[in-house]
Amino acid sequence: MAQPVDAGRLERPRVDERDGYYVLKEKFRQGINPQEKVKIKTEPMKLFMENGIEELAKLSMEEIDKEKSSKDDIDVRLKWLGLLHRRKHRRKH
């Protein structure tokens, strides 16, 4: 037997336009993973369109690691653009 569907889930559209991009409306964001939250907060394409990649390239890894927004850019938004990196894993003895 089919389960009833919450009427709120059927609402259209589920997105708002922001700065030329479509973003999921706030009330539909419950339960999304942390990577999606980062992408909603700061559009990944802006790294490419607004020279954000060049700005990140000027920073040392120590500077990037100090700021959560820079770490999110490296760990989430660059991957979304198809640019992958590997962090050095330091062993603690």
Side-chain angles (χ1 to χ4, degrees):
M1 183 169 227
Q3 296 290 327
V5 176
D6 177 20
R9 291 182 50 100
L10 300 176
E11 180 181 326
R12 298 281 188 234
R14 294 176 64 137
V15 295
D16 286 324
E17 187 172 354
R18 184 190 324 153
D19 298 328
Y21 300 98
Y22 290 97
V23 178
L24 189 63
K25 289 180 180 177
E26 184 70 39
K27 65 181 172 181
F28 297 111
R29 295 182 191 177
Q30 295 85 15
I32 63 174
N33 65 45
Q35 291 79 16
E36 293 301 320
K37 289 178 184 178
V38 169
K39 289 188 281 185
I40 288 172
K41 185 175 123 188
T42 310
E43 173 59 46
M45 284 300 292
K46 287 187 178 185
L47 268 179
F48 179 71
M49 303 297 285
E50 298 176 1
N51 296 326
I53 294 172
E54 288 85 359
E55 295 302 317
L56 280 173
K58 293 176 186 176
L59 300 175
S60 68
M61 284 308 289
E62 289 80 23
E63 291 173 299
I64 288 170
D65 285 340
K66 283 183 199 174
E67 286 188 51
K68 178 161 178 23
S69 63
S70 296
K71 286 175 73 170
D72 289 342
D73 285 343
I74 294 290
D75 293 338
V76 176
R77 292 169 61 203
L78 285 178
K79 281 184 183 178
W80 189 89
L81 290 171
L83 304 171
L84 302 177
H85 75 289
R86 295 190 187 264
R87 288 188 184 272
K88 288 184 180 179
H89 295 284
R90 296 185 182 143
R91 293 183 186 211
K92 294 181 181 179
H93 297 286

